[in-house]
Amino acid sequence: MQWVVFLRAVNVGKHNRFQPGVLAKELSHLGFVNVGAVGTFVVRKATSASDLRTALLAKLPVKCEMMICRAKEIVELVRTAPFTGEMFDNDRRGFVTVLAKAPADMPKLPIYAPDVKNWEVKIVQINGICVVSLWRRLRENALYPNQVIEKTFALAATTRSWNTILKVGELLQL
Protein backbone atom coordinates (compact mmCIF):
# COMPACT_ATOMS: atom_id res chain seq x y z
CA MET A 1 0.00 0.00 0.00
CA GLN A 2 1.16 3.54 -0.75
CA TRP A 3 1.20 6.18 1.97
CA VAL A 4 1.54 9.88 2.69
CA VAL A 5 3.55 10.89 5.74
CA PHE A 6 2.94 14.18 7.53
CA LEU A 7 5.43 15.10 10.26
CA ARG A 8 4.17 17.42 12.98
CA ALA A 9 6.14 20.46 14.19
CA VAL A 10 9.37 19.95 12.25
CA ASN A 11 11.55 22.72 10.81
CA VAL A 12 9.44 25.35 12.57
CA GLY A 13 11.69 28.23 13.53
CA LYS A 14 14.80 26.78 15.15
CA HIS A 15 13.12 23.67 16.52
CA ASN A 16 13.23 20.06 15.29
CA ARG A 17 15.42 20.96 12.32
CA PHE A 18 16.35 18.35 9.73
CA GLN A 19 16.83 18.04 5.98
CA PRO A 20 13.77 16.41 4.35
CA GLY A 21 15.70 15.71 1.13
CA VAL A 22 18.31 13.71 3.04
CA LEU A 23 15.60 11.67 4.79
CA ALA A 24 13.95 10.95 1.42
CA LYS A 25 17.28 9.68 0.04
CA GLU A 26 17.89 7.51 3.10
CA LEU A 27 14.44 5.95 2.64
CA SER A 28 14.53 5.77 -1.15
CA HIS A 29 14.21 1.96 -0.96
CA LEU A 30 10.60 2.65 0.14
CA GLY A 31 10.01 5.03 -2.76
CA PHE A 32 10.10 8.09 -0.48
CA VAL A 33 9.43 11.37 -2.29
CA ASN A 34 9.92 14.70 -0.51
CA VAL A 35 6.92 16.82 -1.47
CA GLY A 36 8.75 20.05 -0.71
CA ALA A 37 6.40 21.14 2.05
CA VAL A 38 8.28 20.71 5.28
CA GLY A 39 7.67 17.24 6.65
CA THR A 40 5.43 15.92 3.87
CA PHE A 41 6.38 12.76 1.98
CA VAL A 42 4.80 10.39 -0.51
CA VAL A 43 5.74 6.72 -0.11
CA ARG A 44 5.30 5.02 -3.48
CA LYS A 45 6.39 1.47 -2.75
CA ALA A 46 3.96 -0.91 -1.10
CA THR A 47 4.75 -1.42 2.56
CA SER A 48 2.87 -1.80 5.82
CA ALA A 49 2.19 1.13 8.10
CA SER A 50 4.16 -0.51 10.91
CA ASP A 51 7.22 -1.14 8.68
CA LEU A 52 7.00 2.44 7.45
CA ARG A 53 6.84 3.83 10.98
CA THR A 54 9.81 1.63 12.04
CA ALA A 55 11.89 2.84 9.07
CA LEU A 56 11.03 6.47 9.82
CA LEU A 57 11.90 6.17 13.49
CA ALA A 58 15.27 4.64 12.59
CA LYS A 59 16.22 7.44 10.18
CA LEU A 60 14.43 10.55 11.43
CA PRO A 61 17.00 12.70 13.24
CA VAL A 62 14.38 14.55 15.34
CA LYS A 63 11.54 13.49 17.60
CA CYS A 64 8.10 14.37 16.31
CA GLU A 65 4.65 12.97 15.81
CA MET A 66 3.91 11.25 12.52
CA MET A 67 0.58 11.16 10.80
CA ILE A 68 0.56 8.33 8.26
CA CYS A 69 -2.32 8.39 5.81
CA ARG A 70 -3.29 5.93 3.06
CA ALA A 71 -2.44 7.48 -0.29
CA LYS A 72 -5.88 6.67 -1.65
CA GLU A 73 -7.46 8.86 1.07
CA ILE A 74 -5.58 11.88 -0.24
CA VAL A 75 -6.37 11.05 -3.88
CA GLU A 76 -10.06 10.69 -3.01
CA LEU A 77 -10.02 13.95 -1.05
CA VAL A 78 -8.48 15.80 -4.00
CA ARG A 79 -11.11 14.29 -6.32
CA THR A 80 -13.95 15.59 -4.12
CA ALA A 81 -12.69 19.13 -4.79
CA PRO A 82 -13.95 20.49 -1.46
CA PHE A 83 -13.08 24.07 -2.34
CA THR A 84 -14.95 24.32 -5.64
CA GLY A 85 -16.15 27.89 -6.06
CA GLU A 86 -13.90 29.29 -3.32
CA MET A 87 -11.57 32.15 -4.18
CA PHE A 88 -8.26 32.16 -2.34
CA ASP A 89 -5.81 34.99 -1.70
CA ASN A 90 -3.45 36.01 1.12
CA ASP A 91 -6.38 36.57 3.46
CA ARG A 92 -8.46 33.50 2.59
CA ARG A 93 -7.09 29.99 2.11
CA GLY A 94 -7.98 26.32 2.18
CA PHE A 95 -6.29 23.84 4.50
CA VAL A 96 -6.29 20.14 5.30
CA THR A 97 -5.42 19.05 8.81
CA VAL A 98 -4.35 15.44 9.31
CA LEU A 99 -5.30 13.97 12.68
CA ALA A 100 -3.31 11.34 14.58
CA LYS A 101 -6.39 9.11 14.29
CA ALA A 102 -10.00 9.36 13.17
CA PRO A 103 -12.22 11.26 15.59
CA ALA A 104 -14.33 9.10 17.91
CA ASP A 105 -17.39 11.31 17.45
CA MET A 106 -18.39 13.19 14.32
CA PRO A 107 -19.46 16.72 15.17
CA LYS A 108 -22.12 18.62 13.29
CA LEU A 109 -20.52 20.72 10.55
CA PRO A 110 -19.63 23.41 9.83
CA ILE A 111 -17.75 24.44 12.95
CA TYR A 112 -16.79 28.09 13.25
CA ALA A 113 -13.99 29.57 15.38
CA PRO A 114 -14.12 31.83 17.23
CA ASP A 115 -17.84 32.18 16.30
CA VAL A 116 -20.24 32.09 13.35
CA LYS A 117 -20.17 35.84 12.68
CA ASN A 118 -16.43 36.46 13.09
CA TRP A 119 -15.04 33.11 11.99
CA GLU A 120 -11.38 32.82 11.16
CA VAL A 121 -11.45 29.03 10.82
CA LYS A 122 -14.43 27.15 9.42
CA ILE A 123 -14.28 23.34 9.51
CA VAL A 124 -16.29 22.16 6.53
CA GLN A 125 -15.55 18.46 6.00
CA ILE A 126 -14.09 15.40 7.71
CA ASN A 127 -12.80 12.48 5.63
CA GLY A 128 -11.26 9.78 7.81
CA ILE A 129 -8.30 11.47 9.48
CA CYS A 130 -8.40 14.52 7.19
CA VAL A 131 -10.21 17.67 8.29
CA VAL A 132 -10.91 20.27 5.59
CA SER A 133 -11.15 23.90 6.65
CA LEU A 134 -11.31 27.42 5.36
CA TRP A 135 -9.21 30.13 6.95
CA ARG A 136 -9.64 33.88 6.71
CA ARG A 137 -7.63 36.70 8.20
CA LEU A 138 -9.76 39.15 10.15
CA ARG A 139 -7.03 40.45 12.45
CA GLU A 140 -3.26 40.54 12.73
CA ASN A 141 -2.81 37.45 14.96
CA ALA A 142 -5.39 35.25 13.27
CA LEU A 143 -6.31 31.80 14.47
CA TYR A 144 -4.63 28.94 12.62
CA PRO A 145 -6.60 25.81 11.64
CA ASN A 146 -4.26 23.43 13.50
CA GLN A 147 -4.84 25.01 16.91
CA VAL A 148 -8.62 25.05 16.42
CA ILE A 149 -8.78 21.46 15.17
CA GLU A 150 -6.51 20.05 17.91
CA LYS A 151 -8.69 21.73 20.54
CA THR A 152 -11.96 20.66 18.86
CA PHE A 153 -11.01 16.99 18.48
CA ALA A 154 -8.54 16.66 21.40
CA LEU A 155 -6.10 14.93 19.05
CA ALA A 156 -2.63 15.74 17.76
CA ALA A 157 -2.75 17.10 14.24
CA THR A 158 -0.69 18.75 11.54
CA THR A 159 -1.91 21.15 8.86
CA ARG A 160 -1.01 21.65 5.21
CA SER A 161 -2.27 24.14 2.65
CA TRP A 162 -4.65 22.94 -0.03
CA ASN A 163 -1.89 23.62 -2.60
CA THR A 164 0.34 21.11 -0.82
CA ILE A 165 -2.45 18.52 -0.82
CA LEU A 166 -2.97 19.11 -4.55
CA LYS A 167 0.76 18.53 -5.12
CA VAL A 168 0.59 15.28 -3.13
CA GLY A 169 -2.40 14.22 -5.23
CA GLU A 170 -0.46 14.91 -8.44
CA LEU A 171 2.50 12.86 -7.23
CA LEU A 172 0.24 9.95 -6.33
CA GLN A 173 -1.48 9.86 -9.71
CA LEU A 174 1.77 9.46 -11.66
Side-chain angles (χ1 to χ4, degrees), residues 16-27:
N16 278 353
R17 307 283 306 165
F18 81 106
Q19 295 178 310
V22 171
L23 180 65
K25 285 179 186 176
E26 290 176 348
L27 296 172

Side-chain angles (χ1 to χ4, degrees), residues 13-87:
K14 296 180 181 182
H15 305 286
N16 278 353
R17 307 283 306 165
F18 81 106
Q19 295 178 310
V22 171
L23 180 65
K25 285 179 186 176
E26 290 176 348
L27 296 172
S28 63
H29 65 284
L30 294 174
F32 249 66
V33 178
N34 178 16
V35 174
V38 175
T40 307
F41 303 91
V42 168
V43 182
R44 289 195 168 146
K45 292 196 178 167
T47 189
S48 70
S50 62
D51 286 348
L52 175 57
R53 187 173 297 277
T54 298
L56 274 163
L57 288 171
K59 295 292 183 181
L60 196 59
V62 297
K63 290 187 179 188
C64 66
E65 294 186 64
M66 294 177 250
M67 286 57 173
I68 300 176
C69 180
R70 288 183 170 91
K72 72 177 190 171
E73 289 182 55
I74 299 298
V75 171
E76 289 170 6
L77 179 61
V78 169
R79 285 185 183 145
T80 68
F83 297 115
T84 300
E86 292 289 343
M87 300 298 289

Side-chain angles (χ1 to χ4, degrees), residues 90-93 119-120 135-140 142:
N90 285 337
D91 294 325
R92 188 176 176 97
R93 298 183 193 154
W119 70 268
E120 295 174 47
W135 170 88
R136 69 178 180 173
R137 184 189 330 264
L138 295 182
R139 57 192 172 101
E140 189 172 321

Side-chain angles (χ1 to χ4, degrees), residues 37 41 43 88 132 142 162:
F41 303 91
V43 182
F88 295 138
V132 178
W162 181 242

